[in-house]
């Protein structure tokens, strides 16, 4: 409850829970800082193990919690690395002990077996080969850096997880690529399922809305004048149906006396063809009339204007012919006349 004044009482359960959670977090931070500064014995370090009052705010608490979490994760990582190194050192020591035991056994066999030196030499060479291989592996492991050893351990653990007997970087890379592809496929499938779920939620919401509207409509009461209107309509239908036979009889009598024209499909087709012919003739006449558009309505004035246009057309035609003749005379080559010879 450090974020509240000391004299202020808490009446809200949510505020009380938040205050209790904040007090618990500050208690955890104080304990963590006390454990960090436990190596210092002076009073200044003890005072520095707790934040000052003006720094006890939510932002500082959030930063210290993140720092404590990162510190604990780093400590766990260092502990795991130390345990791995200790196990590797113990394994190397056991291998060294086995190698020393083998050497002692070889020495004992050399002292006891003076006869059959060839067999002893062959056994010694075999054992020396095993010792050489063990020494070579030990030398390789000891010459590796921490990063190299971590990479080798990661490669070995990956091979064990993937079930690869003879791992190589190429095989592990291909397996890792396959796993990554499967992960992408699963993510795609999850997105599709999420999309389908959202669609189903939307449709279910629409169905619930429609059901609510139906329930509201079922509760709706009919107007009070509806029964009277229904009775009046039924009476009108009955009266009309009673007059229907008389009307039918009148129609039949009119058909017998006057007679209705008999119309067939061929007559309708002939009328349609005649209508289409008239329509085409109308289009032709419209085109012809459109050619005389712009002429005055008076017949004499129209004829005078037509004669004027014709005279203009004749003058233009004559001018065109003259221009063409001049053009031909200008473009045609001049032929020199041959003088007759005087014998």
């Amino acid at each position: 409850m450090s974020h509240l004044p000391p004299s202020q009482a808490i009446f809200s359960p949510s505020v009380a829970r938040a205050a209790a959670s904040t007090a618990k977090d500050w208690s955890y931070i104080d304990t963590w800082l006390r454990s960090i500064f436990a190596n210092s014995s002076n009073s200044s370090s003890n005072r520095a193990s707790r934040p000052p009052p003006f720094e006890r705010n939510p932002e500082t608490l959030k930063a210290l919690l993140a720092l404590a979490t990162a510190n604990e994760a780093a400590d766990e990582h260092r502990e795991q690395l130390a345990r791995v190194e200790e196990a590797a050192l113990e394994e190397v020591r056991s291998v060294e002990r086995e190698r020393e035991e083998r050497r002692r056994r070889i020495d004992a066999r050399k002292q006891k077996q003076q006869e059959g030196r060839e067999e002893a030499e062959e056994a010694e060479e075999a054992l020396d080969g095993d010792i050489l291989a063990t020494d070579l592996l030990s030398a390789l492991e000891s010459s590796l850096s921490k990063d190299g050893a971590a990479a080798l351990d990661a490669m070995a653990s990956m091979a064990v997880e993937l079930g690869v007997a003879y791992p190589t970087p190429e095989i592990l890379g291909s397996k890792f690529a396959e796993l990554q592809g499967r992960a992408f496929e699963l993510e795609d499938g999850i997105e599709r399922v999420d999309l389908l779920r959202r669609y189903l939620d939307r449709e279910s919401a629409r169905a619930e809305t429609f059901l609510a509207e139906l329930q509201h409509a079922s509760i709706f009461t009919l107007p009070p004048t509806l029964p009277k209107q229904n009775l009046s309509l039924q009476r009108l239908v009955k009266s009309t149906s009673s007059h229907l036979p008389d009307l039918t009889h009148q129609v039949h009598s009119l058909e017998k006396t006057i007679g209705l024209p008999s119309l067939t499909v061929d007559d309708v087709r002939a009328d349609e063809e005649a209508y289409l012919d008239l329509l085409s003739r109308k289009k032709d006449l419209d085109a012809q009339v459109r050619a005389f558009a712009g002429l005055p309505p008076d017949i004499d004035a129209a004829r005078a204007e037509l004669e004027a246009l014709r005279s203009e057309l004749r003058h233009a035609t004559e001018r065109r012919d003259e221009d063409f003749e001049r053009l031909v005379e200008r473009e045609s080559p001049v032929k020199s006349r041959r003088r007759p010879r005087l014998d």
Side-chain angles (χ1 to χ4, degrees):
M1 303 178 186
S2 60
H3 64 288
L4 295 174
S7 61
Q8 183 178 358
I10 299 175
F11 297 100
S12 176
S14 60
V15 176
R17 284 195 296 271
S21 177
T22 304
K24 185 177 180 181
D25 292 338
W26 275 116
S27 177
Y28 168 72
I29 291 299
D30 293 338
T31 305
W32 175 68
L33 291 175
R34 202 177 299 114
S35 64
I36 293 294
F37 294 99
N39 295 327
S40 300
S41 60
N42 52 4
S43 59
S44 61
S45 62
N46 293 329
R47 287 195 300 271
S49 62
R50 298 184 62 185
F54 64 87
E55 287 291 345
R56 299 178 75 85
N57 49 44
E59 290 77 9
T60 305
L61 179 61
K62 184 178 180 181
L64 289 175
L65 286 173
L67 183 60
T69 305
N71 193 6
E72 289 181 357
D75 292 340
E76 291 179 359
H77 181 68
R78 284 195 296 271
E79 290 177 0
Q80 291 177 359
L81 185 60
R83 286 196 296 269
V84 170
E85 290 180 352
E86 186 178 357
L89 182 59
E90 185 65 27
E91 186 176 358
V92 170
R93 288 176 180 174
S94 63
V95 171
E96 290 290 338
R97 287 194 295 268
E98 290 179 359
R99 186 173 59 185
E100 290 295 332
E101 290 178 359
R102 286 182 181 178
R103 287 179 179 177
R104 290 175 184 176
R105 290 176 185 176
I106 290 170
D107 294 336
R109 288 178 183 177
K110 285 181 179 180
Q111 292 177 1
K112 290 180 181 180
Q113 295 178 358
Q114 294 180 357
E115 297 178 356
R117 292 180 179 179
E118 294 179 357
E119 296 178 359
E121 289 177 357
E122 293 178 357
E124 184 179 358
E125 290 177 358
L127 292 174
D128 288 340
D130 295 337
I131 294 170
L132 179 61
T134 305
D135 293 338
L136 182 60
L137 291 175
S138 300
L140 289 175
E141 290 179 357
S142 61
S143 63
L144 287 174
S145 61
K146 288 186 177 181
D147 295 336
L152 185 61
D153 292 337
M155 185 175 176
S157 62
M158 186 182 293
V160 171
E161 290 292 336
L162 295 176
V164 180
Y166 301 98
T168 59
E170 292 80 7
I171 295 174
L172 293 178
S174 63
K175 292 288 185 180
F176 185 75
E178 290 178 0
L179 291 176
Q180 195 170 8
R182 292 179 183 176
F184 288 155
E185 290 179 357
L186 291 175
E187 290 178 358
D188 191 11
I190 290 171
E191 290 180 358
R192 292 180 180 177
V193 171
D194 191 13
L195 180 62
L196 180 60
R197 182 185 59 78
R198 291 198 299 269
Y199 174 74
L200 292 177
D201 293 340
R202 186 169 62 252
E203 292 297 326
S204 63
R206 290 177 60 185
E208 290 177 358
T209 305
F210 181 67
L211 181 60
E213 290 178 356
L214 288 179
Q215 291 177 355
H216 180 71
S218 62
I219 298 172
F220 179 73
T221 57
L222 296 175
T225 59
L226 186 62
K228 293 182 179 179
Q229 293 178 0
N230 191 9
L231 289 174
S232 63
L233 288 175
Q234 288 181 359
R235 290 172 182 173
L236 181 61
V237 168
K238 288 181 180 179
S239 62
T240 307
S241 60
S242 62
H243 292 296
L244 185 61
D246 297 335
L247 295 175
T248 306
H249 181 69
Q250 291 178 5
V251 170
H252 288 302
S253 61
L254 289 173
E255 288 179 356
K256 291 178 180 179
T257 55
I258 299 174
L260 296 177
S262 59
L263 189 63
T264 60
V265 178
D266 295 332
D267 296 336
V268 174
R269 186 179 300 169
D271 293 338
E272 184 179 2
E273 291 177 355
Y275 172 73
L276 293 175
D277 292 337
L278 290 174
L279 188 61
S280 62
R281 288 182 61 189
K282 178 182 176 298
K283 289 181 180 179
D284 294 337
L285 293 174
D286 289 338
Q288 293 177 7
V289 171
R290 200 177 298 113
F292 295 98
L295 294 175
D298 190 6
I299 297 175
D300 296 333
R303 286 178 181 176
E305 188 173 356
L306 183 60
E307 289 297 333
L309 292 174
R310 284 177 180 174
S311 62
E312 289 180 3
L313 179 61
R314 285 194 297 270
H315 290 306
T317 305
E318 292 174 357
R319 185 177 178 183
R320 184 197 63 185
D321 295 338
E322 291 176 358
D323 293 338
F324 181 72
E325 289 177 359
R326 284 197 299 268
L327 179 63
V328 171
E329 290 178 357
R330 187 181 64 185
E331 295 296 332
S332 60
V334 179
K335 296 181 180 179
S336 60
R337 297 180 180 179
R338 294 181 181 180
R339 295 181 178 179
R341 292 181 180 180
L342 299 175
D343 294 336

